[in-house]
Amino acid sequence: MIRFEDIQEKVETYMQGADLDLLRRAYVFSAKEDKGQTRSSGEPYLTHPLSVAFILADLKLDLTCIVAGLLHDVLEDTLTSRDVVEEHFGKDIAHVVQGLTKISRITFNSKEQQQAESFRKMMLAMVQDIRVILVKLADRLHNMQTLEALNPDKQHRISKETLD
């Protein structure tokens, strides 16, 4: 299981003078917002944002991206608003987190429409801020790495969505 200290150590290896207080505040905020939630595996939900943030740090991405990885689900899965995220973490981080939420909320009538719209959204997000896509890909990667906790039908559906 990834610990906050693992992320911090990873960041310190390539980002001298990084605002580690910002990183820690995002961790504490995420832990507080996700308190009591669990993943299908039974693990605390916090293991997911920690893993996403670690993947981003392992790729040596910037602090905004890593903080957004820690916060990537708070707008979608909690009562936290974008304004609260912006107040605590600034416009850039709030923008990336909001971008991730917008990608997740769209529904479709057909598989072809879903694929076309997903591609369009990805292109728009990349034009606005490539970090939105990078966090989304790290999120998807960790979800794929933890498929074994899901029932076979859900494993198949998520695998197919990822391949598509």
Side-chain angles (χ1 to χ4, degrees):
M1 182 166 107
I2 302 295
R3 302 170 306 129
F4 171 77
E5 292 75 16
D6 299 327
I7 299 165
Q8 183 175 321
E9 288 171 12
K10 182 73 71 173
V11 167
E12 289 175 323
T13 64
Y14 72 91
M15 197 183 313
Q16 308 324 4
D19 185 352
L20 298 177
D21 181 58
L22 176 66
L23 190 63
R24 182 167 292 283
R25 285 188 296 117
Y27 163 68
V28 169
F29 188 90
S30 182
K32 184 178 135 198
E33 294 301 312
D34 294 335
K35 188 175 184 172
Q37 294 184 55
T38 56
R39 292 182 51 85
S40 296
S41 65
E43 293 178 303
Y45 187 79
L46 185 60
T47 61
H48 177 62
L50 282 169
S51 295
V52 170
F54 186 82
I55 290 166
L56 297 165
D58 201 37
L59 293 170
K60 296 182 168 65
L61 297 177
D62 70 355
L63 198 60
T64 296
C65 205
I66 297 165
V67 169
L70 284 168
L71 302 172
H72 77 276
D73 280 336
V74 296
L75 296 183
E76 191 173 343
D77 295 343
T78 72
L79 299 176
T80 303
S81 70
R82 183 192 193 283
D83 291 339
V84 170
V85 172
E86 185 174 326
E87 177 184 320
H88 285 84
F89 302 103
K91 282 186 185 263
D92 276 354
I93 291 167
H95 171 75
V96 174
V97 174
Q98 178 71 40
L100 291 157
T101 302
K102 286 180 180 178
I103 287 174
S104 300
R105 286 191 177 160
I106 295 179
T107 57
F108 307 95
N109 296 325
S110 71
K111 193 62 163 171
E112 293 78 20
Q113 181 186 11
Q114 179 182 2
Q115 287 175 331
E117 188 62 22
S118 292
F119 184 72
R120 186 185 73 77
K121 285 188 303 180
M122 196 178 320
M123 295 305 288
L124 286 173
M126 283 192 291
V127 168
Q128 290 180 355
D129 194 331
I130 187 76
R131 294 174 294 195
V132 172
I133 300 304
L134 296 172
V135 175
K136 186 64 182 171
L137 290 173
D139 174 39
R140 182 58 66 145
L141 174 60
H142 184 252
N143 285 336
M144 291 299 294
Q145 291 171 335
T146 57
L147 274 178
E148 71 277 353
L150 302 175
N151 69 51
D153 288 341
K154 196 164 186 180
Q155 286 179 15
H156 178 74
R157 183 180 56 77
I158 290 174
S159 296
K160 183 155 175 31
E161 284 174 7
T162 300
L163 285 171
D164 288 345

